[in-house]
Amino acid sequence: MVSAAAIPAAASHGSHHRAAAPAAAASSSQAPEYRAAHAEAAEDRARVAQQKRAQIRWRVAHSAAAKQRYALMHPSVSRVNLPAMYKSLHTLKRQAHGSLPYGARVAVAWAYHELGRPYSYGSAGPYAFDCSGLTRYVWGKAGVSLAHYSGAQLSEGTRIRSRGNARPGDILEFAGMGHVALYVGDGWMIEASHSGTPVWRVPVPWQRIIGITRPRG
């Protein structure tokens, strides 16, 4: 015999399942629509990213030499450049007496990230750079604000008196060109030089360097 007290509980339990059934059915009917919307949004994001990559490649397509050197490396350092980046950071640590200054470390690492990006006058990233735009961008990643002007950047830090005291992360000033580059140690620099040539790592032409500045960071 079922007690009278148990009847409402049992009835309530049954009514709960009956009430939940339509909700479950509604949820089930919405699942395909949700999955379709999610897939469509993912396709849109992929399409936008592909368009950006195509636009960047188009900018250097007119130069066969630039096209050969170009590779889309952001936000990872290309495997071929990793040894050079590690060597630059090791040099920085040695020249900073065993420590890795945060600002210079970040600036150097990000400069290696940007190798292969196209040159574009007046651009300061993230997809293209001019000379001071590149140094401004990589130091900005360390929270150091620099002007987007080569002449101004040279007064936004400590002046280094001789090239023997230069260390990775310092900004190099070129004679008579309004041009700057980022020193990455051991006689090498990373620069955004001119149209048709992407950001690259090249030996420092010390005979053309008239100033070295170390940003405060």
Side-chain angles (χ1 to χ4, degrees), residues 129-156:
F129 300 92
D130 63 11
C131 67
S132 59
L134 176 65
T135 49
R136 180 180 190 272
Y137 183 80
V138 299
W139 270 97
K141 290 297 181 180
V144 177
S145 178
L146 299 177
H148 189 183
Y149 176 60
S150 56
Q153 287 186 3
L154 300 170
S155 62
E156 296 178 317

